[in-house]
Amino acid sequence: RLHKAVTRVYNDFYKNKEERYIAPYLVFIQSSGMGKTKILYAFKKSLENQKNSQTEAIMILCRAKSADPTRQAQETAIFDYFLELTSCLDSRQDFRSGAEAVFKMLDQLIEHKTGVVVVMFDEAHYLL
């Protein structure tokens, strides 16, 4: 059902001008331990298993890797990228500069991709 929802948001945003969403975003909000990361990972794997799929998913963890080696290995196996806001923003910069640095990094991640790219952020509250 997630693939159907993502496809609908994409199609409605890019093709259906009359009932257009403001932006092609889906948001999951739920308590810790309820399986949000598992759903995102399963969606990513389902796209990878589809033959001739024009859709690619990228998973980004919005914090630094864990210091614990076991947990770090688990995170590295699941996530494609780690985005720590402090690496994009030093104490002399304002929020706008930090946001611009994050957008630049995201542009670099997808600039050579073809087809539809679904960028999935986990632990996004760390970016606030």
Side-chain angles (χ1 to χ4, degrees):
R1 294 191 309 177
L2 178 59
H3 188 272
K4 186 177 179 180
V6 169
T7 301
R8 180 172 168 245
V9 168
Y10 174 82
N11 289 338
D12 286 350
F13 184 76
Y14 288 102
K15 296 175 183 166
N16 186 356
K17 305 286 185 197
E18 285 146 25
E19 293 184 31
R20 191 169 188 167
Y21 286 93
I22 294 172
Y25 303 127
L26 289 175
V27 177
F28 296 124
I29 300 173
Q30 187 53 270
S31 303
S32 298
M34 299 304 291
K36 298 177 299 294
T37 302
K38 186 175 182 176
I39 288 171
L40 297 177
Y41 186 72
F43 175 69
K44 177 184 175 189
K45 288 298 176 189
S46 74
L47 290 176
E48 290 173 355
N49 292 332
Q50 288 181 9
K51 293 180 180 178
N52 303 319
S53 176
Q54 297 297 313
T55 305
E56 178 182 354
I58 298 172
M59 287 186 67
I60 300 174
L61 184 60
C62 297
R63 62 173 170 76
K65 292 180 187 177
S66 175
D68 174 39
T70 303
R71 186 167 172 124
Q72 189 178 86
Q74 293 169 336
E75 292 172 350
T76 303
I78 294 171
F79 296 96
D80 301 302
Y81 301 97
F82 295 83
L83 173 62
E84 184 180 10
L85 187 57
T86 56
S87 67
C88 299
L89 180 66
D90 68 36
S91 60
R92 296 179 310 272
Q93 292 177 311
D94 61 9
F95 176 78
R96 182 178 299 275
S97 298
E100 288 171 2
V102 170
F103 291 140
K104 182 178 178 181
M105 188 219 61
L106 293 173
D107 286 342
Q108 291 171 350
L109 289 179
I110 64 171
E111 70 183 340
H112 298 294
K113 306 286 184 186
T114 59
V116 176
V117 179
V118 178
V119 181
M120 301 181 293
F121 295 92
D122 198 4
E123 304 288 341
H125 61 279
Y126 284 109
L127 295 177
L128 298 176

